[in-house]
Amino acid sequence: MAKMTEHPQELLTAYSGRMLAELDWLATFGGDAEGGVTRLLYSAPWLQAQMALMDKMQELGLTADFDEVGNLFGKLKGSQPELKPVLTGSHVDTVKNGGKYDGAYGVVASMMALGFLKAVYGTPKRTLEVVSFCEEEGSRFPLAYWGSGHVTGALSMLDGNGLVDREGVTMLEAMAEAGFETEPARLYPARREDIGAYIEIHIEQGGVLEYKQKQIGVVTAIVGQIRHIVVVSGASNHAGTTPMTMRRDALAGAAEMVALTERKALGEGEPLVATVGRLEVKRGTSNVVPGEVEFTLDIRHTDAVAMDAFRDGLLAEFREIAEQRGLGIQITEHLYALPVAMDEGISAEIEAACDYYGYPSWRMPSGAGHDAQLFGTVCPSAMIFVPSQGGISHSPKEYTSPVELVNGFQTLVRVLYQYGYGGKADEDV
């Protein structure tokens, strides 16, 4: 077997080029008129992308199959089945009119890394797997991490009950329409208890690496995250005949809550962030006092205690505002993820790969949530970041240069080699 230090650079360069081409190819599934990508969970573009990725994995010599919820796995089977597999990958879904790198880069880079390793080194000692998670974003239904949540046991099918998208389609209806199981007698269970480690490569979605002029980010921890949906209810009345003192204006109350969120977050200081990303006036029109408003609330922090305390204080003040204005308020939590530290041992291997290639690296926390956050609670997990130009993400303007994408890909290849064939292959992860 060839040693990694003697790997054919010409072939690695060729696979790097293929990786870039496959990333562009994947963006054609769900490509929209605005220049972005919309690939929502269980939609037709989503299904087409997953099926096409399955074919690509098989072409690369991987054994590919779906689990019950639509996670796609490509397996490079090892010669020593007693060694727990190392899983790598990311998510295939996007936000509406998102970019072509978020999630997709991790899927494609991981798939091509395993294809390269198989082509050059053959059968590994430890099984290596790539996964294209069905969902991470929470952009169609009000629940995130549907894919990795099932694999890690953090979510079950019951969590999808009653969830509805904006067109009134339930999550389980959409799942069944896409051809996946929703009944209790399932043949392809998603829950996995055999995974030894999880390694995810991803665009940074921020501007730190670009600002620091670093090529690779070695993630130390992923922030905790809480998401709520807040519904404020008042009374719809005629805008011309209802005196200001007699109004129960849901939008005015919601606006006060939104302004309070920004003010309290600024007062709390870094690293806490709080965001109202969507606000919808129900049945709103120009000459009617708004009777119902719904908005989202997203709170993130690296410290769970501080995050919870901020949330509790903010929501208490929301209720006070509602009471003072004679409004009703309903607050529903649909995501609670604790801050999670990444594994020091795998992170050291990422840094060693950067040193080998001469890529300047930087240790940093992730302010965005990732599938690695869920895996970090059940097995050693790590993340590799590549720069995002201007820190832009969730946008058609999302961009990482081909050189930086290749740097991340080659870093991932070397790390996976160590755990599949090299010095870490015989060790418990």
Side-chain angles (χ1 to χ4, degrees):
M1 180 185 296
K3 294 182 179 179
M4 187 62 180
T5 52
E6 301 168 354
H7 67 276
Q9 183 61 43
E10 185 176 339
L11 188 57
L12 182 58
T13 300
Y15 269 79
S16 299
R18 287 182 62 184
M19 182 272 299
L20 295 173
E22 301 294 8
L23 186 57
D24 288 339
W25 161 81
L26 185 55
T28 65
F29 297 94
D32 51 41
E34 293 85 356
V37 180
T38 301
R39 201 160 48 230
L40 305 182
L41 176 64
Y42 300 137
S43 66
W46 174 93
L47 183 59
Q48 292 162 4
Q50 286 287 69
M51 297 301 294
L53 282 168
M54 185 178 187
D55 291 341
K56 290 285 184 181
M57 290 179 185
Q58 291 172 336
E59 289 172 11
L60 291 166
L62 308 179
T63 302
D65 208 349
F66 289 97
D67 67 16
E68 61 185 340
V69 298
N71 294 316
L72 172 63
F73 293 86
K75 181 181 294 187
L76 178 54
K77 190 173 181 180
S79 61
Q80 300 181 26
E82 69 276 11
L83 296 171
K84 289 187 174 182
V86 167
L87 181 65
T88 183
S90 195
H91 59 97
V92 74
D93 71 310
T94 71
V95 299
K96 188 174 181 180
N97 194 220
K100 71 176 183 180
Y101 303 96
D102 179 6
Y105 171 58
V107 173
V108 170
S110 298
M111 177 180 71
M112 296 308 301
L114 265 57
F116 170 82
L117 291 171
K118 177 176 173 57
V120 177
Y121 304 104
T123 301
K125 295 180 181 179
R126 180 196 308 277
T127 295
L128 301 174
E129 294 186 54
V130 55
V131 62
S132 176
F133 287 117
C134 64
E135 192 275 342
E136 184 254 19
E137 296 285 5
S139 51
R140 180 176 182 184
F141 301 97
L143 179 70
Y145 306 112
W146 184 246
S148 56
H150 275 270
V151 176
T152 59
L155 295 175
S156 72
M157 209 65 71
L158 293 175
D159 293 295
N161 285 342
L163 299 183
V164 180
D165 69 10
R166 293 188 179 185
E167 281 69 50
V169 179
T170 71
M171 176 179 275
L172 298 187
E173 286 172 347
M175 183 175 169
E177 180 68 22
F180 296 98
E181 301 176 72
T182 59
E183 297 301 319
R186 293 183 278 273
L187 299 176
Y188 306 100
R191 180 75 169 98
R192 296 278 299 270
E193 297 181 346
D194 62 327
I195 296 170
Y198 175 69
I199 303 170
E200 183 172 4
I201 187 167
H202 206 281
I203 60 170
E204 181 194 342
Q205 299 180 278
V208 174
L209 291 175
E210 184 179 52
Y211 177 76
K212 297 285 186 181
Q213 296 185 325
K214 303 294 184 180
Q215 292 298 305
I216 300 293
V218 182
V219 178
T220 56
I222 302 175
V223 297
Q225 186 175 166
I226 305 173
R227 293 185 192 176
H228 290 283
I229 292 177
V230 181
V231 178
V232 182
S233 54
S236 295
N237 281 304
H238 195 288
T241 62
T242 309
M244 298 299 292
T245 55
M246 295 174 58
R247 297 185 179 198
R248 294 171 55 225
D249 188 328
L251 179 55
E256 187 174 348
M257 295 173 195
V258 173
L260 175 68
T261 300
E262 181 186 43
R263 188 166 64 252
K264 285 185 69 70
L266 287 169
E268 183 75 15
E270 294 182 357
L272 179 132
V273 293
T275 306
V276 174
R278 179 176 63 83
L279 186 147
E280 181 180 357
V281 181
K282 302 290 186 177
R283 297 171 296 280
T285 187
S286 62
N287 62 346
V288 174
V289 177
E292 183 176 305
V293 171
E294 178 179 299
F295 66 90
T296 60
L297 175 65
D298 182 308
I299 301 169
R300 307 185 191 204
H301 203 298
T302 55
D303 182 281
V305 174
M307 180 175 70
D308 289 350
F310 180 86
R311 181 267 319 272
D312 293 345
L314 180 64
L315 296 186
E317 292 194 51
F318 280 6
R319 294 185 178 97
E320 289 176 8
I321 291 170
E323 183 177 357
Q324 291 167 1
R325 288 177 169 271
L327 303 171
I329 185 168
Q330 180 181 354
I331 303 170
T332 305
E333 180 183 289
H334 65 90
L335 174 67
Y336 184 91
L338 288 167
V340 175
M342 296 291 95
D343 182 74
E344 179 59 35
I346 305 175
S347 296
E349 289 299 320
I350 296 170
E351 289 180 317
C354 292
D355 291 343
Y356 174 80
Y357 286 115
Y359 301 150
S361 64
W362 186 258
R363 289 198 163 215
M364 60 184 297
S366 171
H370 297 285
D371 294 303
Q373 190 163 7
L374 276 71
F375 279 92
T377 65
V378 298
C379 68
S381 301
M383 288 198 74
I384 301 168
F385 275 173
V386 294
S388 295
Q389 187 176 87
I392 297 172
S393 185
H394 286 181
S395 163
K397 296 180 180 179
E398 183 179 271
Y399 181 75
T400 299
S401 74
V403 170
E404 291 164 335
L405 294 170
V406 167
N407 290 346
F409 169 70
Q410 296 191 357
T411 300
L412 177 65
V413 166
R414 189 164 184 84
V415 172
L416 292 176
Y417 172 87
Q418 293 300 329
Y419 285 96
Y421 307 81
K424 297 292 182 179
D426 296 315
E427 301 178 11
D428 289 333
V429 183

